[in-house]
Amino acid sequence: MIKRYSFLLTILVLFSIANCNSQQIQPDKRGYIVKVGDKVADFDVIMLDGTAKKLSEFKAPVLVLNFFASSCVVCSEEIPHIEQEIWQPLKEKGLIVLGVNFKEQADTVRQFVQEMNISYPIALDEDGKIFDRFARGGVTRNIVLDQNLNIIFLTRLFDPNEFEE
């Protein structure tokens, strides 16, 4: 009788695990688990200077989360465009670009920011948990949010045509 209950319990546990795995959010073809129109729950970011800030504290009509890594060749290609064609001309109009470094230590990020002449604010995502809110796979990615933290645009890799959008 005990063996039968043990067997039944084992089957129930395995079924539960399989059922949970099948209900996980499946990424789209670009690896996103979010879509345009989704509202992003507010969360804290740790800035490169060590201070903490809530996403909502940026109070921007448009907030671009630019996920990058110093080892990402595509990121190095895209960042100058973000700096010169988005951040510099639009920051006075209230747009904010927030660079979110993916899984690197602060010293590495500081060096990369200096080498790339990045002047927009930088946050750290040392454990990748911020990135995991949005996508699976690798960087570069941009999540464009409106003032209410609703997603209004998503990009993956650096595509000049998509960048123009």
Side-chain angles (χ1 to χ4, degrees):
M1 190 72 139
I2 292 176
K3 287 182 182 179
R4 194 176 298 166
Y5 286 120
S6 293
F7 178 74
L8 238 147
L9 184 60
T10 301
I11 296 297
L12 285 173
V13 168
L14 290 173
F15 177 76
S16 295
I17 291 170
N19 194 32
C20 287
N21 286 338
S22 68
Q23 291 179 0
Q24 288 180 348
I25 298 171
Q26 295 299 312
D28 67 13
K29 66 182 180 177
R30 297 187 308 165
Y32 276 107
I33 59 169
V34 295
K35 61 187 179 313
V36 170
D38 286 353
K39 180 160 181 73
V40 173
D42 201 8
F43 58 87
D44 291 328
V45 293
I46 303 299
M47 303 303 293
L48 188 55
D49 67 6
T51 60
K53 194 167 185 175
K54 286 204 168 297
L55 207 57
S56 60
E57 290 179 54
F58 286 96
K59 300 200 183 300
V62 176
L63 175 62
V64 179
L65 302 179
N66 167 243
F67 288 92
F68 73 95
S70 66
S71 60
C72 169
V73 174
V74 177
C75 299
S76 294
E77 182 183 345
E78 179 184 57
I79 286 172
H81 293 281
I82 291 172
E83 176 72 33
Q84 296 162 9
E85 298 171 37
I86 296 175
W87 173 242
Q88 290 300 329
L90 298 174
K91 66 182 177 181
E92 298 302 321
K93 295 181 179 178
L95 175 131
I96 293 178
V97 174
L98 176 62
V100 183
N101 179 266
F102 182 65
K103 292 187 173 183
E104 295 179 309
Q105 298 296 313
D107 290 340
T108 301
V109 179
R110 277 189 204 91
Q111 181 178 348
F112 182 74
V113 166
Q114 184 177 10
E115 289 170 4
M116 295 297 295
N117 295 312
I118 299 172
S119 65
Y120 48 85
I122 302 294
L124 301 172
D125 186 15
E126 290 181 347
D127 60 7
K129 288 184 179 175
I130 296 172
F131 181 81
D132 285 347
R133 293 171 175 261
F134 301 101
R136 301 295 180 263
V139 293
T140 185
R141 293 177 193 265
N142 296 290
I143 291 96
V144 183
L145 306 171
D146 68 11
Q147 69 273 6
N148 298 314
L149 302 181
N150 295 309
I151 297 172
I152 56 175
F153 198 71
L154 298 166
T155 70
R156 170 76 172 113
L157 300 172
F158 178 62
D159 174 356
N161 294 326
E162 187 176 57
F163 186 83
E164 286 301 316
E165 285 184 51

